Structure formats: C-alpha cells, structure tokens
C-alpha cells in the first residue's frame, strides 16, 4: 500500500501489554510507552479503550456505539426513512443482509444494524479495525448491543476484493446488498472534511481499489449494490445506476441485480 504516514502504537495499559506487542509484531509497528509527535498517527491502548491520535490535527478518535453521536443517530436519526435505509431497500417486512465492504468507523453499518439488518463489516486497515474491534468489545456489555450481535454484526479485517473473490470461489451464500463507501477524493480545503474523515484519508493514501470493488460487488450481491457518492460526483466507473437516493450532501447510487 502506498502510504507515507508514520504510525506507532502507544501502550498505557499493563493488562494490554501482550495484546499491543502482538499487534505491533503482526503489523511491523514500533511500540512506545509515551506519545511521540514524531509519528503522524498513534494507536493508543488504554485499559478500557483503544483510540487513534493524529499528531498534525492534535485530535483523537475512537468509536462508541452506546454513547455519543451514533447512539443519538440511533434514537433520533429518522429510522427507516433515512436515505441510507431507503437505498438499502429496507421496507416493512424487508430487512436485507448487508455486506459493508468499506466499514471505516462503522457508523453506516451501525445505523443499518440498529434498523434490524444483519451486517458483515469488512475493513482492510488494521489500525481502523482495531478501533472497531474495541468498540464492539465495549458495547458487548450492553443488552441493546447484545441483540445486534445476535442478529449479526460480524467484523472482518481484510481487503474486500480478496474477501469477495474467496467467497465467490467457495460459492458461499450471497449477501442481499453490498455497500461501498469509497474514500472521497482529498479536498483542497481540508476544513471542509470532518477530522475523522481526514484521518481515514491519511491512512488510505492513494490506494483506491473501489473501481475493482464495484465490479466484484456486481458479481457477488444477490439483490443490489449501493455506492455512496458526494451529491454531485461522477458515478463509479462511469456506470449509470438504476436509481439514486439523495440526501443533503450525499447520493446513494443503486445498481439493481434482482427485486428485493
Ligand atoms: C469513507 S470510509 C467509510 C466510512 C464508513 N461508511 C463509516 O460509516 O464510517 C472508507 C473505508 O474503507 C476502507 N477501505 C477502502 N478500500 C477497502 C477495501 N478494498 N477493502 C476493505 N476496506 C477498504 C478504508 O480503509 C476506509 O476505512
């Protein structure tokens, strides 16, 4: 992956020492005892939280499914009336199984899970995956999230192109919907991009495989492929969708394979 950012792991937790060491050995990352601004990104292990610190932005991000913005969206976000829910084909009596091939900070996947969809989340960055895994572990203590886990909220750290190719070869049961939310191209005015997305962009570098991902998704989805785009952006691979659902800043392009 062409990625010029420097990354280190900082472990403040005694009980997580071995976990942090194993993570560093696996991903060939240095392990530190204190923060060091020399590294662009620092994955920090606390006893009860894993978070990611961005030295340039002086900001830390982590994922929380139970409190904060995600929980607020679950309560007040508009339920099945939200653009993303309509794009996935949710209707009364229809709750598709979704493969989210670009999980990121898992916000979209969590919204869909709270609306009743079984979701499989694929994230290729081990750094971002560590944040998702930690959030799932913390949330598992709550009854609400236990219900979501029961319904299906599976997280996998791999490249989605590899995942789909392997699943196709094994002829595994196909997901109803495949969702792709590619990194938007870097904007010149970084103030326009939320800090968490700037951090994801930094990790992502120039390695955009969404074109291939789209072609693979069309082969693997049972009912539809949904691609998230900025409202006025070109369609992926210049392919015209069957229909689009729009919200204020976002467009969901829907490529239909079969009726829901
Ligand atoms: C724009 S973010 C997704 C944001 C997500 N929808 C959310 O709600 O937080 C794109 C994410 O997809 C991941 N990604 C990009 N290409 C991928 C691939 N081929 N396989 C798996 N993950 C990929 C990136 O690492 C990044 O975290």
């Amino acid at each position: 992956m062409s990625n010029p950012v420097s990354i280190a792991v900082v472990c403040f937790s005694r009980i997580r020492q071995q976990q942090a060491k194993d993570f560093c050995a696996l991903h060939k990352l240095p392990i530190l005892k204190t923060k060091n601004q020399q590294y662009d990104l620092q994955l920090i292990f606390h006893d009860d939280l894993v978070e990611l610190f961005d030295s340039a932005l002086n900001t830390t991000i982590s994922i929380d499914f139970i409190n904060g913005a995600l929980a607020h969206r679950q309560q007040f976000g508009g339920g099945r009336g939200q653009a993303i829910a309509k794009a996935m084909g949710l209707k009364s009596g229809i709750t598709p199984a979704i493969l989210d091939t670009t999980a990121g900070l898992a916000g979209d996947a969590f919204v869909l899970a709270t609306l009743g969809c079984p979701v499989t989340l694929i994230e290729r960055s081990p750094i971002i995956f560590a944040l998702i895994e930690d959030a799932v572990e913390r949330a598992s203590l709550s009854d609400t999230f236990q219900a979501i886990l029961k319904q299906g909220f599976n997280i996998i750290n791999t490249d989605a192109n590899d995942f789909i190719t392997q699943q196709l070869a094994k002829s595994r049961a196909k997901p109803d919907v495949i969702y792709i939310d590619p990194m938007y191209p870097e904007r010149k005015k970084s103030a326009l991009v939320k800090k968490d997305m700037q951090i994801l962009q930094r990790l992502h570098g120039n390695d955009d495989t969404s074109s291939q991902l789209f072609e693979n998704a069309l082969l693997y989805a049972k009912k539809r492929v949904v691609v998230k785009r900025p409202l006025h952006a070109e369609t992926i691979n210049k392919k015209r969708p069957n229909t689009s659902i729009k919200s204020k800043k976002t467009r969901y392009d829907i490529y239909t394979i079969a009726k829901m």
Side-chain angles (χ1 to χ4, degrees):
M1 207 191 285
S2 60
N3 199 331
V5 289
S6 55
I7 305 170
V9 169
V10 186
C11 188
F12 287 135
S13 163
R14 245 189 226 190
I15 53 176
R16 286 198 190 237
Q17 278 293 335
Q18 195 54 48
Q19 186 192 354
K21 274 188 193 160
D22 292 346
F23 185 88
C24 290
L26 185 63
H27 302 295
K28 299 188 177 57
L29 294 170
I31 187 161
L32 315 173
K33 287 201 175 108
T34 54
K35 279 202 219 167
N36 183 336
Q37 297 282 341
Q38 178 193 329
Y39 293 93
D40 300 319
L41 295 173
Q42 298 171 63
L43 187 69
I44 305 178
F45 285 74
H46 301 276
D47 283 352
D48 53 0
L49 177 72
V50 177
E51 56 184 5
L52 183 60
F53 178 71
D54 183 309
S55 300
L57 295 173
N58 196 21
T59 289
T60 304
I61 58 169
S62 59
I63 303 173
D64 192 343
F65 294 127
I66 304 302
N67 304 296
L70 286 177
H72 186 269
R73 186 164 165 200
Q74 175 183 3
Q75 250 186 310
F76 306 108
R80 289 181 171 227
Q82 309 175 59
I84 189 167
K86 287 189 196 157
M88 299 295 154
L90 273 88
K91 284 189 196 139
S92 70
I94 299 181
T95 314
I98 296 168
L99 177 67
D100 179 351
T101 56
T102 49
L105 300 177
D108 290 335
F110 180 67
V111 166
L112 295 166
T114 61
L115 298 176
C117 299
V119 188
T120 298
L121 298 79
I122 314 279
E123 172 53 51
R124 74 174 173 189
S125 159
I127 305 290
I128 299 299
F129 187 79
L131 299 181
I132 306 176
E133 198 170 35
D134 170 63
V136 168
E137 207 180 295
R138 270 180 289 118
S140 302
L141 302 172
S142 95
D143 290 345
T144 338
F145 199 77
Q146 276 296 334
I148 285 176
L149 286 175
K150 226 174 184 178
Q151 148 197 304
F153 194 82
N154 302 312
I155 58 172
I156 304 172
N157 180 203
T158 190
D159 188 293
N161 277 310
D162 296 343
F163 179 82
I164 294 180
T165 312
Q166 283 161 12
Q167 299 299 305
L168 281 169
K170 290 184 203 155
S171 325
R172 287 278 160 86
K174 295 174 163 189
D176 296 314
V177 180
I178 295 188
Y179 177 51
I180 307 175
D181 175 9
M183 292 304 311
Y184 293 174
E186 227 169 309
R187 296 225 194 116
K188 292 224 167 54
K189 287 189 200 153
S190 59
L192 292 175
V193 183
K194 281 199 209 148
K195 286 192 173 177
D196 50 3
M197 279 304 138
Q198 287 185 49
I199 299 176
L200 288 191
Q201 263 171 357
R202 239 193 276 292
L203 272 168
H204 190 258
N206 298 322
D207 194 12
D208 183 9
T209 56
S210 57
S211 170
Q212 185 60 45
L213 193 48
F214 176 60
E215 298 304 331
N216 280 330
L218 289 174
L219 296 176
Y220 185 46
K222 218 189 306 182
K223 308 260 172 81
R224 63 175 66 174
V225 174
V226 178
V227 184
K228 185 175 181 179
R229 306 293 298 153
L231 193 56
H232 301 294
E234 262 207 48
T235 55
I236 195 162
N237 294 2
K238 302 213 166 128
K239 191 172 161 93
R240 225 172 123 181
N242 295 81
T243 179
S244 296
I245 293 198
K246 293 174 189 162
S247 64
K248 220 162 108 195
K249 292 185 193 151
T250 305
R251 200 180 74 228
Y252 297 93
D253 289 342
I254 300 165
Y255 298 87
T256 308
I257 291 154
K259 251 188 109 182
M260 273 293 174

